[in-house]
């Protein structure tokens, strides 16, 4: 958000006076309503980095959205994401293989694919539409369809959307990405990655500034599109109700502040999730080949120890890195570092990504073939098999099929006692 001009406080731009003469690039150079996406930023950032290197200086990339930084560090790794580079104007053509499968779809599913609903249908009120979508996805991309319950129409529709937008199945994209992850190298030979774990500070102060900034920019009565440009930033849309109320109240202000705190926490959670699930695995994979990317987490939650734990440590690590000295063990820095940075390495294995959360149909509990009862493999499935409902239906099924339920149960019990 700092690429946009204005809104200096809510986007938390470093004030001129605190920059100490250090040049800040790509800041405040876009007008607030303009769209600026990660692909463009990577191009602009690479140019700035290149120019800095030519002056024999070391660039420090500061941010922000770790997703953007990952794109900068690792080329071509993240093929599809809605925040990614803009989709080509025309849709990407499908492979012949996929096009043939689409052409051979039953007519009603072909019509559905050609005209996907804009919004996911509700499985509760429109189960036929929901199940049709899932059937369509099963025919086009079975491994992914197996991961979503047919009732989860949002995910099903998104996976179908991916096929239409990219001409590829989501499962193919996952394979491509993880293969890239295994083969391609970071764009830079040496970099140090530092991550600040910090708590949300001075919300009320930011909130006040947000309301001031909005009231000055919104005064023309122009309707603001909160999905575009800087208007997406936290602290802006949350104040809309308060500022457009005929009589702004203290209560409305408090509600806006509360709303903003929630958004900020959600944002922080998404960022941490991205770092742990995407960025650190990518960095670890790169390091497994050649240890060049020390990655550190600095715990900035306690402000009173900022000088020691954040600034002091940060400066020390950077000096060690630049002087090519032995670097500290990233997990040794703090308790938070140990907790947050120990990650599961299986996240980068495509098979484990695709095989995670597979659903299976419980034929016992499925009463209608178009409304299959689906349960997640593993623990959920085991738990389901022991539910009263399932056991009752299973017993009933055996009775109606064989009329020998008593006999069968007895046999099962005998088997069990033999095993024991
Ligand atoms: Zn069941």
């Amino acid at each position: 958000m700092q690429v946009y001009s204005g809104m200096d406080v809510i986007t938390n731009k470093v004030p001129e006076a605190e920059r100490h003469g250090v040049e800040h690039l790509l800041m405040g150079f876009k007008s607030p309503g303009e769209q600026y996406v990660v692909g463009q930023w990577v191009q602009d950032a690479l140019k700035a980095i290149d120019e800095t290197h030519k002056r024999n200086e070391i660039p420090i990339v500061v941010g922000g959205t770790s997703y953007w930084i990952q794109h900068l560090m690792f080329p071509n790794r993240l093929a599809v994401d809605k925040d990614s580079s803009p989709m080509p104007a025309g849709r990407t053509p499908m492979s012949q293989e996929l096009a043939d499968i689409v052409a051979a779809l039953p007519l009603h599913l072909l019509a559905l694919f050609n005209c996907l609903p804009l919004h996911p249908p509700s499985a509760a009120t429109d189960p036929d539409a929901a199940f049709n979508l899932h059937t369509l996805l099963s025919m086009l991309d079975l491994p992914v369809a197996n991961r979503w319950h047919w009732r989860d129409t949002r995910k099903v529709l998104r996976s179908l959307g991916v096929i239409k937008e990219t001409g590829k199945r989501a499962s193919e994209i996952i394979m491509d990405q993880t293969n890239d992850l295994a083969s391609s190298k970071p764009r830079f030979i040496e970099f140090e990655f530092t991550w600040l774990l910090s708590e949300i500070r001075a919300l009320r102060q930011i909130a006040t500034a947000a309301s001031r900034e909005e009231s000055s920019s919104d005064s023309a009565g122009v309707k603001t599109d909160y999905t575009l440009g800087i208007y997406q930033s936290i602290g802006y849309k949350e104040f809309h109700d308060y500022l457009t109320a005929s009589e702004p109240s203290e209560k409305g202000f408090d509600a806006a502040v509360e709303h903003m705190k929630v958004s900020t926490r959600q944002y922080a959670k998404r960022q941490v999730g991205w770092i742990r699930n995407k960025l650190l695995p990518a960095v670890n994979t790169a390091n497994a080949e050649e240890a060049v990317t020390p990655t550190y987490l600095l715990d900035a939650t306690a402000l009173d120890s900022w000088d020691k734990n954040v600034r002091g440590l940060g400066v020390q690590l950077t000096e060690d890195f630049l002087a090519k000295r032995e670097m500290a063990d990233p997990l040794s820095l703090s308790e938070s570092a140990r907790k947050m940075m120990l990650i599961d390495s299986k996240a980068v294995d495509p098979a484990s990504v695709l095989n995670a959360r597979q659903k299976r149909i419980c034929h016992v509990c499925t009463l209608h073939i178009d409304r299959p009862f689906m349960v997640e493999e593993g623990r959920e499935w085991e738990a389901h098999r022991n539910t009263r409902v399932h056991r009752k239906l299973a017993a009933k099924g055996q009775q109606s099929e064989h009329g020998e339920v008593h006999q069968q149960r007895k046999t099962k019990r005998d088997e069990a006692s033999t095993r024991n």
Side-chain angles (χ1 to χ4, degrees), residues 334-353:
S334 66
E335 188 52 40
S336 335
R338 193 169 20 252
K339 241 171 49 196
M340 303 296 279
M341 294 187 59
L342 263 182
I343 51 148
D344 206 339
S345 59
K346 76 174 195 291
V348 295
D349 170 25
S352 75
V353 171

Side-chain angles (χ1 to χ4, degrees), residues 93-357:
M94 294 179 192
S95 66
Q96 192 57 47
E97 181 253 341
L98 189 54
D100 288 346
I101 292 174
V102 168
L105 284 171
L107 276 182
H108 72 289
L109 293 182
L110 180 62
L112 182 62
F113 183 69
N114 285 333
C115 196
L116 288 176
L118 285 177
H119 303 289
S122 151
T125 58
D126 198 352
D128 287 331
F131 187 66
N132 276 338
L133 274 183
H134 193 267
T135 308
L136 174 61
L137 184 62
S138 312
M139 290 185 158
L140 299 178
D141 190 354
L142 189 60
V144 166
N146 283 343
R147 299 183 67 202
W148 311 142
H149 196 289
W150 63 272
R151 291 180 169 278
D152 198 347
T153 51
R154 196 178 56 84
K155 286 179 177 157
V156 172
L157 184 60
R158 201 173 59 194
S159 300
L160 286 167
V162 164
I163 299 176
K164 282 193 92 157
E165 294 291 345
T166 66
K168 277 184 174 184
R169 301 169 171 98
S171 57
E172 294 175 287
I173 292 167
I174 292 173
M175 295 303 275
D176 288 355
Q177 278 180 6
T178 36
N179 289 340
D180 279 355
L181 200 65
S183 63
S184 95
K185 286 183 187 296
R187 217 190 286 265
F188 304 101
I189 297 168
E190 287 177 287
F191 57 89
E192 182 198 36
F193 180 71
T194 312
W195 164 28
L196 278 191
L197 181 72
S198 113
E199 70 179 4
I200 302 126
R201 274 173 281 144
L203 277 175
R204 192 162 175 111
Q205 181 205 340
I206 294 170
T208 315
S211 62
R212 203 174 49 230
E213 285 176 347
E214 171 151 337
S215 55
S216 60
S217 64
D218 214 24
S219 54
V222 181
K223 206 171 174 305
T224 308
D225 183 347
Y226 291 107
T227 65
L228 281 183
I230 199 171
Y231 304 116
Q232 306 163 75
S233 56
I234 297 165
Y236 204 98
K237 53 187 178 299
E238 287 80 359
F239 276 83
H240 179 85
D241 285 353
Y242 169 70
L243 291 159
T244 50
S246 50
E247 265 178 78
S249 64
E250 184 71 19
K251 216 176 124 197
F253 182 82
D254 291 343
V257 171
E258 209 36 59
H259 193 172
M260 193 172 103
K261 283 183 187 173
V262 171
S263 303
T264 308
R265 278 189 214 109
Q266 287 169 343
Y267 173 76
K269 225 175 130 183
R270 282 199 303 274
Q271 290 297 312
V272 170
W274 182 272
I275 290 172
R276 284 172 51 86
N277 298 325
K278 309 276 183 183
L279 188 53
L280 289 180
V283 165
N284 288 351
T285 306
N287 277 347
E289 289 175 23
E290 205 177 348
V292 290
T293 317
T295 305
Y296 293 100
L297 180 143
L298 299 181
D299 189 338
T301 48
L303 286 185
D304 50 358
S305 52
W306 177 277
D307 274 344
K308 179 171 169 280
N309 292 341
V310 183
R311 188 163 62 188
L313 207 48
V315 168
Q316 181 63 51
L317 290 168
T318 308
E319 282 174 351
D320 288 347
F321 174 71
L322 292 176
K324 300 186 193 296
R325 280 194 288 265
E326 182 87 8
M327 301 289 291
D329 173 7
L331 299 183
S332 74
L333 293 194
S334 66
E335 188 52 40
S336 335
R338 193 169 20 252
K339 241 171 49 196
M340 303 296 279
M341 294 187 59
L342 263 182
I343 51 148
D344 206 339
S345 59
K346 76 174 195 291
V348 295
D349 170 25
S352 75
V353 171
L354 278 175
N355 290 333
R357 311 180 70 92

Side-chain angles (χ1 to χ4, degrees), residues 361-366 373 375 381 384-385 387 389-391 393-394:
I361 293 174
C362 179
H363 294 287
V364 169
C365 296
T366 296
F373 190 93
V375 186
W381 172 254
H384 170 73
R385 282 184 3 153
T387 55
V389 180
H390 176 91
R391 287 194 320 211
L393 282 169

